Amino acid sequence: MAAIKDVAARAGVSAATVSRVLNDHPSVSPESRARVLAAVAALGYRPNAVARSLRTDETRTLGLVISDVLNPYFTSLARAVEEEARALGYSVIIGNADERPELQDHHVRTLLDRRIDGLLLSPTDRGAKLIRDAVRADTPVVFVDRWIPGVDVPVVRADGRAAVRDLVGHLLALGHRRPAIIAGPAATTTGSERIDAFRAALGEHGVALPDAYIGQGDFQAESGRRAAERFLDLPEPPDAVFAADNLMALGALDAFRARGLRVPEDIALAAFDDIPWFVHTDPPITAIAQPTDELGRAAVRALAERIAGREPPSVTLPARLVVRRSCGAELPPDGATLPPDGAELPSDGAPPGRADAPPGPPDPVPSERNPSARSQRSDP
């Protein structure tokens, strides 16, 4: 393997000149720079990154700790982070917390020990003493998707409140009377934020969210299945279920099918976090889509700013509702979404053809979509 002295000998310059060229120092003449780069290419020389990091106190490496690598949302987010980091000259080491705080701490500790330049994190809980300590020690940190309240670092996230409001309007306009939610962990900001947005949106229409219609999940499929089964065992089951993430929605879909229920004829289903698979399910699933690629890239840019000693602002991007057939919307046979170009619904949440739907609560009558959900009671 070629060494820096071999490059210097071939280029006819000193080892110090080679080092300056490799570090893009402006003091080297264009002619010397060209000879050094030609020698580097001819010899296949590769700088020792570890040795360089000891000299410069930089590793050009970022850490990314995501909540669940099996969740397609976080997989897409990680890809966007890696692409943007590479474009800025960084490598990325990824740790999968698997929604477990102790595993998150393991990855954070390991990354800090490896002297990463900065850390991107989607925290699994609001405690995370190790993360607070890292921030106090001036480690450049940026939160992405989730955050820890009270920790003063930039947060790059999507705001789904307007999209949840659109979803609720969509469900009510289609005649659903008893919507339920499978919520994420209350220890996460996204878990609490989504259920608060759902409850508030229902309240705007004068619809309550009873405790019986709140299922507790952990952002993984099995918890979605269990919550859906509990809903179906109620004397008066819900006629629509909103899962606060994509994996819990798939678990709920499994539970509905195991009971012989049809979506949307017997029960409606919608999810937070759109994924490519949803257009291939039967029926395609209505979902709230986050701008995943933009979030990942914005998070890397914010972290690069922090590493450079600047104070970038937090970034909040809007999520949007993508309507498919799982809630009962009438779409063209070959149409996967509504509108066809994937644009947002109107702000009142009514699908095309229902622009005249009343904004107030629907008449409290039993739904006919879920035969097992019929009851003499008019409201949950």
Side-chain angles (χ1 to χ4, degrees):
M1 180 181 296
I4 194 169
K5 64 180 181 181
D6 301 317
V7 175
R10 186 179 182 98
V13 298
S14 68
T17 297
V18 174
S19 179
R20 284 194 289 269
V21 170
L22 295 177
N23 287 285
D24 202 26
H25 197 281
S27 64
V28 182
S29 69
E31 295 80 6
S32 295
R33 185 180 303 276
R35 291 203 306 274
V36 169
L37 294 178
V40 166
L43 295 173
Y45 173 72
R46 297 180 64 186
N48 187 322
V50 174
R52 177 182 292 179
S53 71
L54 294 175
R55 293 192 302 271
T56 65
D57 202 32
E58 292 183 357
T59 62
R60 304 301 296 176
T61 302
L62 307 179
L64 170 65
V65 180
I66 55 177
S67 304
D68 183 3
V69 74
L70 295 180
N71 186 320
Y73 166 76
F74 285 111
T75 305
S76 298
L77 185 71
R79 179 177 180 178
V81 165
E82 194 279 330
E83 289 179 347
E84 186 68 16
R86 186 172 65 248
L88 296 180
Y90 289 95
S91 297
V92 180
I93 301 176
I94 300 175
N96 172 36
D98 201 28
E99 299 291 358
R100 294 160 50 193
E102 70 278 7
L103 190 53
Q104 169 185 277
D105 284 352
H106 164 77
H107 289 305
V108 170
R109 189 176 295 108
T110 300
L111 290 167
L112 294 177
D113 288 345
R114 293 193 177 194
R115 303 176 66 251
I116 56 170
D117 293 342
L119 178 64
L120 289 171
L121 184 72
S122 177
T124 60
D125 69 340
R126 301 188 189 209
K129 179 180 182 299
L130 180 61
I131 298 168
R132 295 175 185 270
D133 290 344
V135 172
R136 281 193 289 267
D138 292 329
T139 301
V141 174
V142 169
F143 292 141
V144 58
D145 184 67
R146 307 175 187 178
W147 64 98
I148 300 176
V151 178
D152 187 18
V153 303
V155 179
V156 178
R157 57 181 287 263
D159 186 346
R161 288 173 296 180
V164 171
R165 189 181 305 116
D166 286 342
L167 171 64
V168 167
H170 176 62
L171 291 172
L172 298 180
L174 290 171
H176 299 291
R177 305 296 192 254
R178 296 183 300 279
I181 183 172
I182 304 175
T188 64
T189 49
T190 48
S192 59
E193 184 180 70
R194 291 169 192 176
I195 188 173
D196 289 347
F198 190 65
R199 181 184 283 112
L202 289 172
E204 291 175 7
H205 292 271
V207 179
L209 180 63
D211 289 344
Y213 284 5
I214 301 174
Q216 189 58 59
D218 60 7
F219 289 141
Q220 297 185 339
E222 179 60 22
S223 68
R225 184 188 62 80
R226 290 195 304 266
E229 288 177 342
R230 187 180 68 78
F231 288 153
L232 297 178
D233 288 336
L234 292 172
E236 187 175 44
D239 60 3
V241 172
F242 170 46
D245 99 316
N246 48 55
L247 295 183
M248 295 193 300
L250 294 174
L253 183 61
D254 286 344
F256 299 157
R257 288 175 172 169
R259 297 289 184 96
L261 297 178
R262 300 166 300 166
V263 176
E265 291 84 358
D266 300 323
I267 190 166
L269 177 64
F272 205 106
D273 284 340
D274 195 18
I275 54 177
W277 305 344
F278 281 171
V279 299
H280 302 297
T281 59
D282 185 18
I285 296 176
T286 291
I288 292 173
Q290 300 195 72
T292 312
D293 189 76
E294 293 90 337
L295 290 173
R297 295 180 184 278
V300 172
R301 292 193 294 270
L303 186 57
E305 290 284 296
R306 292 278 288 180
I307 293 169
R310 294 184 283 272
E311 296 294 332
S314 293
V315 176
T316 303
L317 301 175
R320 63 186 178 89
L321 177 63
V322 179
V323 172
R324 300 189 179 100
R325 289 193 285 273
S326 65
C327 296
E330 296 182 3
L331 302 177
D334 58 348
T337 63
L338 182 67
D341 61 0
E344 297 92 345
L345 279 175
S347 59
D348 63 0
R354 293 296 303 269
D356 57 345
D363 295 335
V365 298
S367 170
E368 295 297 315
R369 286 186 173 81
N370 185 348
S372 65
R374 297 174 192 166
S375 169
Q376 295 301 314
R377 288 176 292 176
S378 61
D379 56 332

Tab-separated table of all heavy atoms in Angstrom, residues 337-370:
chain	number	residue	atom	x	y	z
A	337	THR	N	-54.684	6.963	-5.515
A	337	THR	CA	-54.837	8.025	-4.540
A	337	THR	C	-55.861	9.025	-5.021
A	337	THR	O	-56.272	9.024	-6.171
A	337	THR	CB	-53.501	8.762	-4.303
A	337	THR	OG1	-53.099	9.394	-5.522
A	337	THR	CG2	-52.417	7.805	-3.848
A	338	LEU	N	-56.241	9.890	-4.122
A	338	LEU	CA	-57.162	10.978	-4.422
A	338	LEU	C	-56.613	12.245	-3.800
A	338	LEU	O	-56.373	12.275	-2.594
A	338	LEU	CB	-58.535	10.676	-3.834
A	338	LEU	CG	-59.655	11.683	-4.079
A	338	LEU	CD1	-60.014	11.726	-5.535
A	338	LEU	CD2	-60.860	11.373	-3.228
A	339	PRO	N	-56.385	13.283	-4.550
A	339	PRO	CA	-56.456	13.395	-5.995
A	339	PRO	C	-55.397	12.538	-6.687
A	339	PRO	O	-54.447	12.113	-6.048
A	339	PRO	CB	-56.191	14.889	-6.245
A	339	PRO	CG	-56.473	15.552	-4.931
A	339	PRO	CD	-56.072	14.549	-3.896
A	340	PRO	N	-55.562	12.285	-8.030
A	340	PRO	CA	-54.638	11.387	-8.723
A	340	PRO	C	-53.187	11.784	-8.623
A	340	PRO	O	-52.316	10.947	-8.666
A	340	PRO	CB	-55.125	11.447	-10.179
A	340	PRO	CG	-56.564	11.838	-10.080
A	340	PRO	CD	-56.642	12.751	-8.898
A	341	ASP	N	-52.896	13.089	-8.489
A	341	ASP	CA	-51.495	13.505	-8.412
A	341	ASP	C	-50.947	13.461	-7.002
A	341	ASP	O	-49.819	13.857	-6.750
A	341	ASP	CB	-51.317	14.915	-8.974
A	341	ASP	CG	-52.122	15.961	-8.195
A	341	ASP	OD1	-52.804	15.579	-7.223
A	341	ASP	OD2	-52.043	17.147	-8.556
A	342	GLY	N	-51.732	12.963	-6.047
A	342	GLY	CA	-51.249	12.829	-4.682
A	342	GLY	C	-51.292	14.119	-3.887
A	342	GLY	O	-50.749	14.196	-2.803
A	343	ALA	N	-51.977	15.159	-4.401
A	343	ALA	CA	-52.042	16.422	-3.691
A	343	ALA	C	-52.913	16.291	-2.455
A	343	ALA	O	-53.643	15.322	-2.282
A	343	ALA	CB	-52.589	17.508	-4.609
A	344	GLU	N	-52.869	17.316	-1.611
A	344	GLU	CA	-53.643	17.290	-0.384
A	344	GLU	C	-55.135	17.372	-0.680
A	344	GLU	O	-55.568	17.872	-1.708
A	344	GLU	CB	-53.253	18.465	0.511
A	344	GLU	CG	-51.831	18.436	0.975
A	344	GLU	CD	-50.908	19.181	0.052
A	344	GLU	OE1	-51.310	19.481	-1.091
A	344	GLU	OE2	-49.782	19.460	0.463
A	345	LEU	N	-55.912	16.896	0.299
A	345	LEU	CA	-57.335	17.142	0.246
A	345	LEU	C	-57.604	18.620	0.511
A	345	LEU	O	-56.763	19.315	1.068
A	345	LEU	CB	-58.038	16.332	1.339
A	345	LEU	CG	-58.316	14.861	1.053
A	345	LEU	CD1	-58.898	14.232	2.292
A	345	LEU	CD2	-59.270	14.714	-0.113
A	346	PRO	N	-58.785	19.107	0.151
A	346	PRO	CA	-59.163	20.450	0.574
A	346	PRO	C	-59.087	20.560	2.090
A	346	PRO	O	-59.186	19.572	2.797
A	346	PRO	CB	-60.614	20.586	0.069
A	346	PRO	CG	-60.709	19.595	-1.048
A	346	PRO	CD	-59.799	18.465	-0.685
A	347	SER	N	-58.954	21.787	2.592
A	347	SER	CA	-58.729	21.977	4.018
A	347	SER	C	-59.883	21.494	4.866
A	347	SER	O	-59.722	21.218	6.047
A	347	SER	CB	-58.466	23.461	4.312
A	347	SER	OG	-59.568	24.245	3.888
A	348	ASP	N	-61.091	21.389	4.295
A	348	ASP	CA	-62.208	20.898	5.098
A	348	ASP	C	-62.234	19.390	5.184
A	348	ASP	O	-63.071	18.813	5.879
A	348	ASP	CB	-63.545	21.409	4.546
A	348	ASP	CG	-63.827	20.889	3.139
A	348	ASP	OD1	-62.992	20.134	2.597
A	348	ASP	OD2	-64.892	21.235	2.600
A	349	GLY	N	-61.315	18.708	4.486
A	349	GLY	CA	-61.219	17.265	4.591
A	349	GLY	C	-62.219	16.503	3.768
A	349	GLY	O	-62.205	15.293	3.741
A	350	ALA	N	-63.133	17.175	3.062
A	350	ALA	CA	-64.144	16.473	2.295
A	350	ALA	C	-63.586	16.010	0.971
A	350	ALA	O	-62.882	16.758	0.304
A	350	ALA	CB	-65.341	17.395	2.052
A	351	PRO	N	-63.867	14.772	0.565
A	351	PRO	CA	-63.379	14.314	-0.720
A	351	PRO	C	-64.136	14.977	-1.855
A	351	PRO	O	-65.216	15.529	-1.648
A	351	PRO	CB	-63.673	12.804	-0.677
A	351	PRO	CG	-64.823	12.675	0.273
A	351	PRO	CD	-64.648	13.769	1.280
A	352	PRO	N	-63.573	14.964	-3.068
A	352	PRO	CA	-64.295	15.534	-4.200
A	352	PRO	C	-65.700	14.935	-4.312
A	352	PRO	O	-65.904	13.748	-4.109
A	352	PRO	CB	-63.412	15.133	-5.389
A	352	PRO	CG	-62.035	15.053	-4.810
A	352	PRO	CD	-62.236	14.507	-3.428
A	353	GLY	N	-66.630	15.803	-4.658
A	353	GLY	CA	-68.002	15.327	-4.733
A	353	GLY	C	-68.746	15.491	-3.428
A	353	GLY	O	-69.942	15.303	-3.366
A	354	ARG	N	-67.996	15.818	-2.345
A	354	ARG	CA	-68.636	16.018	-1.045
A	354	ARG	C	-68.347	17.406	-0.504
A	354	ARG	O	-68.306	17.633	0.679
A	354	ARG	CB	-68.143	14.968	-0.047
A	354	ARG	CG	-68.570	13.551	-0.370
A	354	ARG	CD	-70.084	13.398	-0.291
A	354	ARG	NE	-70.600	13.777	1.005
A	354	ARG	CZ	-70.746	12.915	2.018
A	354	ARG	NH1	-70.437	11.652	1.866
A	354	ARG	NH2	-71.225	13.321	3.171
A	355	ALA	N	-68.117	18.366	-1.404
A	355	ALA	CA	-67.765	19.712	-0.961
A	355	ALA	C	-68.896	20.357	-0.176
A	355	ALA	O	-68.687	21.285	0.593
A	355	ALA	CB	-67.395	20.581	-2.158
A	356	ASP	N	-70.125	19.826	-0.367
A	356	ASP	CA	-71.246	20.410	0.337
A	356	ASP	C	-71.541	19.690	1.645
A	356	ASP	O	-72.537	19.942	2.294
A	356	ASP	CB	-72.498	20.382	-0.552
A	356	ASP	CG	-72.826	18.948	-1.000
A	356	ASP	OD1	-71.955	18.067	-0.861
A	356	ASP	OD2	-73.959	18.746	-1.480
A	357	ALA	N	-70.663	18.780	2.058
A	357	ALA	CA	-70.892	18.043	3.297
A	357	ALA	C	-70.916	19.015	4.471
A	357	ALA	O	-70.126	19.941	4.542
A	357	ALA	CB	-69.788	17.006	3.510
A	358	PRO	N	-71.847	18.838	5.414
A	358	PRO	CA	-71.951	19.776	6.541
A	358	PRO	C	-70.711	19.703	7.402
A	358	PRO	O	-70.157	18.644	7.632
A	358	PRO	CB	-73.189	19.274	7.301
A	358	PRO	CG	-73.305	17.832	6.909
A	358	PRO	CD	-72.819	17.765	5.492
A	359	PRO	N	-70.230	20.852	7.904
A	359	PRO	CA	-69.017	20.868	8.716
A	359	PRO	C	-69.229	20.346	10.123
A	359	PRO	O	-68.275	20.004	10.795
A	359	PRO	CB	-68.638	22.356	8.745
A	359	PRO	CG	-69.942	23.075	8.560
A	359	PRO	CD	-70.754	22.207	7.654
A	360	GLY	N	-70.473	20.285	10.596
A	360	GLY	CA	-70.732	19.855	11.962
A	360	GLY	C	-70.699	18.359	12.114
A	360	GLY	O	-70.417	17.618	11.183
A	361	PRO	N	-70.994	17.860	13.329
A	361	PRO	CA	-70.966	16.411	13.560
A	361	PRO	C	-72.047	15.707	12.779
A	361	PRO	O	-73.122	16.257	12.537
A	361	PRO	CB	-71.203	16.304	15.080
A	361	PRO	CG	-71.924	17.564	15.440
A	361	PRO	CD	-71.394	18.611	14.521
A	362	PRO	N	-71.810	14.471	12.366
A	362	PRO	CA	-72.825	13.724	11.640
A	362	PRO	C	-73.949	13.301	12.566
A	362	PRO	O	-73.817	13.317	13.787
A	362	PRO	CB	-72.047	12.505	11.120
A	362	PRO	CG	-70.940	12.340	12.109
A	362	PRO	CD	-70.586	13.725	12.554
A	363	ASP	N	-75.070	12.930	11.966
A	363	ASP	CA	-76.187	12.442	12.763
A	363	ASP	C	-75.764	11.200	13.527
A	363	ASP	O	-75.151	10.286	12.964
A	363	ASP	CB	-77.371	12.095	11.857
A	363	ASP	CG	-77.921	13.335	11.179
A	363	ASP	OD1	-77.738	14.438	11.738
A	363	ASP	OD2	-78.501	13.197	10.088
A	364	PRO	N	-76.066	11.104	14.820
A	364	PRO	CA	-75.632	9.956	15.621
A	364	PRO	C	-76.484	8.726	15.367
A	364	PRO	O	-77.368	8.384	16.158
A	364	PRO	CB	-75.793	10.479	17.056
A	364	PRO	CG	-76.908	11.478	16.965
A	364	PRO	CD	-76.766	12.117	15.607
A	365	VAL	N	-76.264	8.066	14.251
A	365	VAL	CA	-76.992	6.840	13.951
A	365	VAL	C	-75.982	5.733	13.772
A	365	VAL	O	-74.837	5.970	13.405
A	365	VAL	CB	-77.841	6.982	12.665
A	365	VAL	CG1	-78.881	8.070	12.843
A	365	VAL	CG2	-76.955	7.283	11.462
A	366	PRO	N	-76.391	4.462	14.035
A	366	PRO	CA	-75.437	3.369	13.902
A	366	PRO	C	-74.943	3.230	12.478
A	366	PRO	O	-75.679	3.451	11.524
A	366	PRO	CB	-76.259	2.143	14.328
A	366	PRO	CG	-77.397	2.699	15.124
A	366	PRO	CD	-77.684	4.044	14.539
A	367	SER	N	-73.680	2.876	12.324
A	367	SER	CA	-73.104	2.646	11.006
A	367	SER	C	-73.495	1.280	10.504
A	367	SER	O	-73.594	0.325	11.268
A	367	SER	CB	-71.569	2.745	11.083
A	367	SER	OG	-71.009	2.308	9.880
A	368	GLU	N	-73.731	1.157	9.199
A	368	GLU	CA	-74.035	-0.125	8.586
A	368	GLU	C	-72.793	-0.782	8.007
A	368	GLU	O	-72.860	-1.861	7.454
A	368	GLU	CB	-75.067	0.081	7.469
A	368	GLU	CG	-76.418	0.569	7.983
A	368	GLU	CD	-77.072	-0.449	8.899
A	368	GLU	OE1	-77.059	-1.630	8.542
A	368	GLU	OE2	-77.564	-0.049	9.973
A	369	ARG	N	-71.624	-0.103	8.132
A	369	ARG	CA	-70.415	-0.657	7.526
A	369	ARG	C	-69.902	-1.861	8.298
A	369	ARG	O	-69.259	-2.729	7.759
A	369	ARG	CB	-69.333	0.407	7.461
A	369	ARG	CG	-69.591	1.442	6.394
A	369	ARG	CD	-68.412	2.396	6.281
A	369	ARG	NE	-68.592	3.294	5.155
A	369	ARG	CZ	-69.342	4.377	5.192
A	369	ARG	NH1	-69.971	4.680	6.312
A	369	ARG	NH2	-69.467	5.150	4.136
A	370	ASN	N	-70.122	-1.878	9.616
A	370	ASN	CA	-69.605	-2.948	10.446
A	370	ASN	C	-70.770	-3.656	11.109
A	370	ASN	O	-71.277	-3.220	12.129
A	370	ASN	CB	-68.656	-2.362	11.497
A	370	ASN	CG	-67.980	-3.447	12.313
A	370	ASN	OD1	-68.378	-4.601	12.253
A	370	ASN	ND2	-66.977	-3.049	13.071
